[in-house]
Amino acid sequence: MAVVKSRQQDIDMLARLLRAEAEAEGEMGMLLVGAVGINRIRANCSDFKGIRTIPQMINQPHAFEALQHGMYYQRARDRERRLAQRVVNGERNWPAKYSLWYFRPGSYENPGPCPPTWFNPVQGFGTEGFL
């Protein structure tokens, strides 16, 4: 059962975001990014007040760097659609179970380690830090 309302075009948008933001992190990385996005819709707090839909979450100004890169604008693939549907249905894995942000230091081409002074992030998956 879905925890946020979605249409097929919303699932496709989320699938494209998962791929563009975290394809290099594998399926679990994409699920974690998806969980953060769904948490932003459900939270209605902090920077995410009034964000009620997947398109609003994805298109919030400065929310996702991936929208600046071409990969986001490619067609959604079945693999990422399945992952997107899983997070829309409520799948949330640690450390993103209740996270509203994630941080990947460095760049896609040259990732760096999470600095220990970055608000004491929860580490434990790849190069990402989650809050």
Side-chain angles (χ1 to χ4, degrees):
M1 176 155 212
V3 296
V4 297
K5 291 182 181 180
S6 65
R7 304 164 295 172
Q8 186 58 50
Q9 64 195 46
D10 300 335
I11 297 296
D12 285 353
M13 282 182 77
L14 184 57
R16 294 183 355 242
L17 179 73
L18 300 183
R19 179 178 178 204
E21 282 283 324
E23 182 177 41
E25 305 295 338
E27 286 194 7
M28 182 56 72
M30 288 188 275
L31 286 169
L32 295 174
V33 166
V36 166
I38 297 303
N39 290 344
R40 290 176 179 185
I41 295 169
R42 297 179 77 197
N44 199 30
C45 67
S46 187
D47 296 335
F48 311 108
K49 286 186 179 183
I51 303 293
R52 308 296 348 130
T53 68
I54 290 171
Q56 288 174 338
M57 176 267 296
I58 291 173
N59 292 308
Q60 184 183 24
H62 313 292
F64 296 102
E65 185 178 327
L67 273 65
Q68 300 172 16
H69 305 290
M71 187 180 291
Y72 173 75
Y73 298 97
Q74 296 175 8
R75 285 187 42 207
R77 301 185 304 190
D78 288 340
R79 172 185 168 199
E80 288 83 24
R81 282 189 189 107
R82 285 191 298 274
L83 296 173
Q85 190 64 61
R86 285 169 59 182
V87 296
V88 165
N89 287 346
E91 183 173 331
R92 298 183 304 169
N93 297 287
W94 184 91
K97 191 165 187 163
Y98 301 105
S99 296
L100 295 174
W101 294 272
Y102 59 91
F103 174 71
R104 182 181 188 179
S107 65
Y108 178 79
E109 295 83 16
N110 188 21
C114 282
T117 57
W118 188 71
F119 301 104
N120 195 21
V122 175
Q123 295 185 16
F125 185 80
T127 59
E128 307 270 344
F130 291 83
L131 285 177

